[in-house]
Amino acid sequence: MNSLDYLKNVMDEEQFEKITKIKNHALYEFLSEYIRLLSPSKIFVATNSEDDELYIRNRAIVYQEEQLLKMPGHTVHFDNYYDQARDKEHTYILTPHGEKLPYLNTIKRDKGLEEIRKIMNGIMKEKELFILFFSLGPKNSPFMVPAVQLTDSAYVAHSEFLLYRKAYDVFEENENLEFLKFVHSEGEVDERKTSKNLDKRRVIIDLEKNICYAVNTQYAGNTIGLKKPAFRLTINKAVKENWLSEHMFLMGVNGPKGRVSYFTGAFPSMCGKTSTCMLVGERLVGDDLSFIKNINGEARAVNVEYGVFGIIQGVNKEDDPYIWQVLHTPQEIIFSNVLIHEGKPYWNDMGEEIPCKGENHSGKWWCGKKDSKGHEIPPSHKNARFTARLIYFPNLDREALDSQHGVKLSGMIFGGRDSDTWPPVCESFDWEHGVIMKGASIESETTAATLGKEGVRKFNIMSILDFMSVHLGKYLRNYLDFGKKLKAPPKIFAVNYFLRDENGKYLNTKLDKKIWLKWMDLRVHGEVDAVETPIGYIPRYEDLQKLFREVFNREYRREDYEKQFTIRVPELLSKIDRIRKIYSEMDNIPQELFEQLDAEEKRLIEAKEKYGDHISPFSLY
Ligand code: SPV
Ligand code: MN
C-alpha cells in the first residue's frame, strides 16, 4: 500500500484532508512510517487555524497534562519528580559506526535506531497523535527551517504553539518542501499524568535523516522537538552550509540619538543570559537561540523561536519587571513545576510570601516536606519554568523579531561564571582572536544549582557544549571561515559578571552589565577609545565614568575601575594552559587555535616581565 492510501485508512476524513492539502511525498512517507510504528488510537492534524490551536489547548486540559489556574489563560504542567531537566546521559548522537567524538555522547546508528524503535513500538496505542507544522526562524525568509512534530503530549504541542511560528501554510504553498522531523512520545503516564518509564527515557539525534526522537519524558528541553533536539540538527546543517546556529540571545542596545545596535550573547545556564537580554530599557528579540547568516557580506541574525521557555526561580517584581508583568497578565502562559495554591502559582525567591502548602512537582506539598533521599523539597523546582509568547513582552523589538532579513549584528558576547580571571568586559582584537580566545575558551564555574562540587571550572565552548552535534574542530573551522567571508565581522566581546576580590566579594553590581553594553555600542561605532591589553581592549576609566553618570547617575570610582579591570596575569596564563590541554587532546583542531593561545601567552609573559603579576589598567594607558 502506498503511504497516502495507508494514511487514508488510519485517519478520519477531516484530518486526512488536511494532509492531502500538502503535496509532499516525503511527508506522507514520514507520517505513514511513524504512525505504523507508534499505533496511535486517534490522529489530529493542526493547521494554522485558531480552532485547531484551541483544540490542542483543550486536549491538554482534558488529558490532565495541564490544569487551569485562576487567572484566565494560565495553566500549570507538572513533569515527573525525576524528569525536571534535560537528560544528558541518555541523549545520543547517532554516528555510522558509533565513532566517538570529543565531549559528545554517541551511539552506533543501527544500535540506537533499533533501541528507539523497540521502545516506541506501539507506544501510542491508547493515545492521540498530534501532527504539527512549524518554522524555525521567520517564515519564507532565507533563515527558515521548516519542521514537523509528532507528539502524543498535548502539553508539548501546546508549548510549541507558544514558542514557534505556525507553518502549515508554508507546507501547503511549497510542494515537496524539505523539513526536520521530530517524533515524541511521553510513554505511559502515572496518576499525575507524568511520564512513568523514566528508565526507558531516551533522546536520539539522527543527523543523517534529520530526525530526532524523544521518549518516556515530558520535560520540554527533551521533548519540544523544535527547541534543543532541533538545535543539534541545525548546528550540523549550519556547519555544512557555512552559517551559524548558536545558543545565543538576540537583543538591541539603545545607543545615542535613537540608534540601535544588535548583539547576540552566549552564556552557560544561570550565568546572566536572560537577565542581560531582559535589561530594562533595552530591546528583546530572543532569549535562547539565534541563526546568523552572511547576507550580502553582513552578519545578520534572527531569533529561531517566537516565545520564551524561561527559568522562573528568582523572578521578582524589582529585578525582572518585564517578566513579572508577563506572568501577571491574563494571557496564555504555561507554568511548569511551580507551587500551586488556590489556583495561584508561586516560585522560589519570588519576593513574596509563599504559602506552606499546595501542589508542586512532588505532588501534594507542605513546608519541610522531604524527598526519598531526605532532601527538603523547595516550593518550586530550581528549573521550574514559564512558557510564553514573545509578543507579550513589553520590551520586545517586534520589527526585529519579524524581520525577513534579520538584523545586522554589531557584536557577539561570550560570558561565563568566573571569579578570578577575566575582567568584566573585554573586546577581542579581531574575529579570529574573539572566536578562539573568548568563545572557544569559555569556562564556567559550577553553582549550587547543579549537583556536585561548587566552583569547579567547566569547559563550555561557546556555551553550546550540551547541544554539540559535530566534532568541535569542525565547528570551530566553520566559525573561523564564516567571519573571513564577511565585509566587517561583528566585534566579539567577553563579559564576566562574577569577578570577585581577594576576600570573595563580587566586584560588580547586578546592573553594571548595562554599562558594558552601552560601552560595546560606542565601540561598535568607533566613538570611544580603549586600552590595549595582552588579552584585548578594555574600557578607559573616563568613558565608563561618563556612562555610569549618564545611565545611572552614579559615581564610578577610580579604585573600583582599577580593581575590576586589573589584568590578572597568572590566572590568565593558567587558563591558557587548561584550554591548550583540552584542545591538545582532540584531533583536527584548527591550527589557528594553538597560534592564538601561544600569541596571547607570549603577550602576557612580556607584560608580566614589565609590570608584574597583576597589572593596573592605568599602567597600560
Ligand atoms: C537551557 O538549559 O539552555 C535551556 C532550557 O534553554 S532547555 O530547554 O531545557 O534546554
Ligand atoms: Mn538554552
Side-chain angles (χ1 to χ4, degrees):
M1 200 188 313
N2 78 26
S3 359
L4 208 51
D5 288 338
Y6 174 77
L7 292 174
K8 192 169 183 185
N9 266 339
V10 294
M11 295 168 92
D12 72 33
E13 212 171 305
E14 192 188 339
Q15 305 309 317
F16 179 67
E17 203 178 302
K18 294 182 198 169
I19 290 299
T20 53
K21 283 201 176 141
I22 296 172
K23 309 284 175 238
N24 192 326
H25 290 283
L27 174 71
Y28 305 155
E29 288 192 359
F30 168 60
L31 295 179
S32 58
E33 179 179 353
Y34 287 91
I35 291 170
R36 272 196 183 95
L37 177 73
L38 304 163
S39 315
S41 59
K42 200 172 170 191
I43 298 171
F44 182 79
V45 178
T47 66
N48 289 2
S49 78
E50 288 294 321
D51 281 354
D52 285 0
E53 213 182 311
L54 186 63
Y55 175 83
I56 297 221
R57 230 150 65 205
N58 288 335
R59 289 287 101 182
I61 303 298
V62 170
Y63 293 140
Q64 297 168 31
E65 280 190 86
E66 291 175 38
Q67 301 162 34
L68 295 171
L69 297 179
K70 219 175 227 164
M71 196 172 280
H74 289 196
T75 56
V76 63
H77 162 81
F78 293 111
D79 296 303
N80 188 294
Y81 189 73
Y82 299 102
D83 189 28
Q84 297 282 320
R86 280 183 277 110
D87 183 358
K88 289 195 242 177
E89 207 186 318
H90 296 100
T91 299
Y92 299 100
I93 309 282
L94 301 179
T95 54
H97 308 286
E99 298 86 331
K100 296 265 170 277
L101 290 165
Y103 288 90
L104 269 63
N105 231 357
T106 58
I107 190 170
K108 188 168 179 312
R109 191 184 158 75
D110 298 350
K111 191 169 165 248
L113 286 178
E114 194 189 311
E115 187 182 20
I116 196 78
R117 295 188 77 91
K118 203 168 136 200
I119 299 176
M120 284 192 151
N121 192 10
I123 201 163
M124 293 190 190
K125 269 192 182 121
E126 313 287 320
K127 297 275 182 67
E128 177 167 6
L129 167 69
F130 302 102
I131 303 174
L132 316 157
F133 302 88
F134 295 103
S135 152
L136 297 174
K139 285 203 287 190
N140 300 313
S141 78
F143 296 90
M144 175 178 77
V145 180
V148 177
Q149 169 87 56
L150 310 186
T151 180
D152 57 6
S153 162
Y155 155 71
V156 167
H158 180 198
S159 301
E160 289 186 338
F161 276 109
L162 302 186
L163 294 172
Y164 301 97
R165 297 159 173 102
K166 298 193 262 193
Y168 176 84
D169 56 335
V170 178
F171 282 82
E172 228 183 338
E173 286 155 17
N174 296 277
E175 279 191 24
N176 296 321
L177 190 69
E178 274 188 42
F179 57 96
L180 307 182
K181 309 170 182 83
F182 303 100
V183 184
H184 165 248
S185 173
E186 61 190 12
E188 232 184 298
V189 292
D190 58 18
E191 63 288 351
R192 300 188 68 219
K193 309 297 171 192
T194 75
S195 292
K196 193 167 142 182
N197 299 322
L198 300 180
D199 57 322
K200 295 201 192 77
R201 174 172 56 198
R202 297 288 182 279
V203 177
I204 302 275
I205 317 291
D206 184 354
L207 300 172
E208 199 181 305
K209 292 270 169 69
N210 273 322
I211 301 188
C212 297
Y213 307 84
V215 67
N216 291 313
T217 169
Q218 284 160 318
Y219 174 68
N222 296 324
T223 59
I224 295 190
L226 283 96
K227 197 171 184 69
K228 294 306 170 31
F231 189 28
R232 276 86 169 203
L233 301 181
T234 56
I235 290 172
N236 181 51
K237 188 172 162 63
V239 165
K240 280 193 179 147
E241 299 169 359
N242 195 212
W243 49 280
L244 305 178
S245 170
E246 294 299 307
H247 193 213
M248 289 175 165
F249 70 58
L250 177 57
M251 73 180 295
V253 173
N254 293 309
K257 301 196 187 101
R259 162 177 93 202
V260 186
S261 310
Y262 291 94
F263 293 85
T264 53
F267 297 72
S269 269
M270 301 199 159
C271 291
K273 190 174 173 188
T274 306
S275 61
T276 305
C277 66
M278 294 278 178
L279 268 174
V280 174
E282 311 302 341
R283 294 160 177 255
L284 170 68
V285 189
D287 77 314
D288 198 30
L289 299 167
S290 295
F291 287 162
I292 305 167
K293 288 201 167 182
N294 176 337
I295 297 183
N296 301 325
E298 275 181 359
R300 300 193 67 95
V302 295
N303 181 1
V304 173
E305 307 179 284
Y306 216 59
V308 176
F309 174 60
I311 290 193
I312 203 165
Q313 173 162 307
V315 167
N316 68 77
K317 205 172 181 170
E318 280 67 47
D319 297 335
D320 314 281
Y322 299 135
I323 303 179
W324 189 265
Q325 182 184 325
V326 169
L327 300 183
H328 289 82
T329 305
Q331 53 197 355
E332 222 175 322
I333 314 270
I334 309 173
F335 292 85
S336 50
N337 306 314
V338 296
L339 173 69
I340 303 297
H341 180 61
E342 295 180 345
K344 215 182 145 226
Y346 297 87
W347 53 89
N348 306 341
D349 311 322
M350 68 189 293
E352 273 186 13
E353 202 177 324
I354 299 176
C356 246
K357 59 179 178 196
E359 187 187 357
N360 75 359
H361 57 294
S362 73
K364 187 171 184 275
W365 180 84
W366 55 93
C367 282
K369 181 179 178 185
K370 296 205 165 69
D371 67 12
S372 59
K373 288 187 188 118
H375 299 304
E376 192 164 318
I377 303 171
S380 63
H381 191 273
K382 62 177 188 264
N383 196 28
R385 293 193 174 244
F386 64 90
T387 306
R389 295 176 207 278
L390 267 162
I391 51 166
Y392 297 158
F393 285 76
N395 52 332
L396 175 70
D397 185 335
R398 182 75 191 256
E399 216 177 294
L401 179 67
D402 289 334
S403 169
Q404 288 278 306
H405 292 93
V407 290
K408 179 175 181 276
L409 201 56
S410 295
M412 296 167 77
I413 307 168
F414 292 102
R417 184 177 290 266
D418 165 7
S419 56
D420 62 7
T421 309
W422 276 357
V425 59
C426 182
E427 177 191 325
S428 64
F429 294 121
D430 53 34
W431 178 261
E432 185 180 304
H433 178 245
V435 169
I436 304 297
M437 296 310 301
K438 309 302 181 203
S441 301
I442 296 182
E443 292 174 296
S444 200
E445 288 155 21
T446 50
T447 63
T450 52
L451 296 178
K453 219 172 131 209
E454 262 183 70
V456 180
R457 272 183 251 260
K458 280 241 164 86
F459 166 68
N460 193 349
I461 176 172
M462 271 78 176
S463 302
I464 208 175
L465 200 53
D466 275 4
F467 314 103
M468 191 54 83
S469 57
V470 299
H471 188 288
L472 300 191
K474 227 166 141 182
Y475 171 79
L476 281 177
R477 180 77 269 147
N478 177 57
Y479 233 106
L480 293 167
D481 292 347
F482 179 77
K484 275 187 207 149
K485 293 182 191 147
L486 297 169
K487 278 185 226 148
K491 280 187 183 291
I492 296 181
F493 298 91
V495 293
N496 178 15
Y497 304 153
F498 303 93
L499 191 66
R500 300 176 193 238
D501 65 13
E502 55 291 349
N503 303 316
K505 195 173 148 277
Y506 284 115
L507 287 175
N508 292 97
T509 75
K510 267 195 207 168
L511 286 176
D512 292 2
K513 50 173 90 68
K514 191 177 176 84
I515 303 297
W516 316 148
L517 290 175
K518 298 291 187 198
W519 180 75
M520 290 178 205
D521 164 73
L522 297 174
R523 284 296 293 165
V524 161
H525 293 89
E527 291 169 8
V528 282
D529 227 332
V531 184
E532 187 174 337
T533 79
I535 60 167
Y537 303 109
I538 58 170
R540 292 168 59 229
Y541 169 64
E542 295 73 15
D543 298 321
L544 293 184
Q545 187 190 32
K546 188 159 170 267
L547 283 171
F548 270 99
R549 244 187 235 146
E550 280 170 10
V551 178
F552 294 138
N553 195 18
R554 194 173 108 197
E555 212 29 62
Y556 181 57
R557 300 183 314 171
R558 251 181 103 85
E559 52 271 37
D560 289 339
Y561 166 77
E562 190 167 27
K563 260 195 189 169
Q564 293 163 11
F565 287 91
T566 285
I567 302 299
R568 305 174 176 214
V569 179
E571 289 87 343
L572 287 158
L573 285 172
S574 317
K575 181 178 173 74
I576 290 178
D577 285 343
R578 291 192 300 273
I579 299 296
R580 186 189 280 124
K581 180 162 185 294
I582 288 169
Y583 285 107
S584 306
E585 285 164 4
M586 295 175 216
D587 58 346
N588 293 319
I589 295 299
Q591 195 47 38
E592 292 96 315
L593 182 133
F594 299 103
E595 287 165 11
Q596 286 286 346
L597 290 168
D598 292 350
E600 189 142 314
E601 184 177 55
K602 188 160 168 271
R603 288 192 298 270
L604 283 163
I605 291 171
E606 280 168 12
K608 181 175 146 146
E609 279 161 8
K610 210 158 154 195
Y611 306 104
D613 276 355
H614 283 183
I615 307 172
S616 159
F618 291 116
S619 26
L620 299 171
Y621 258 51

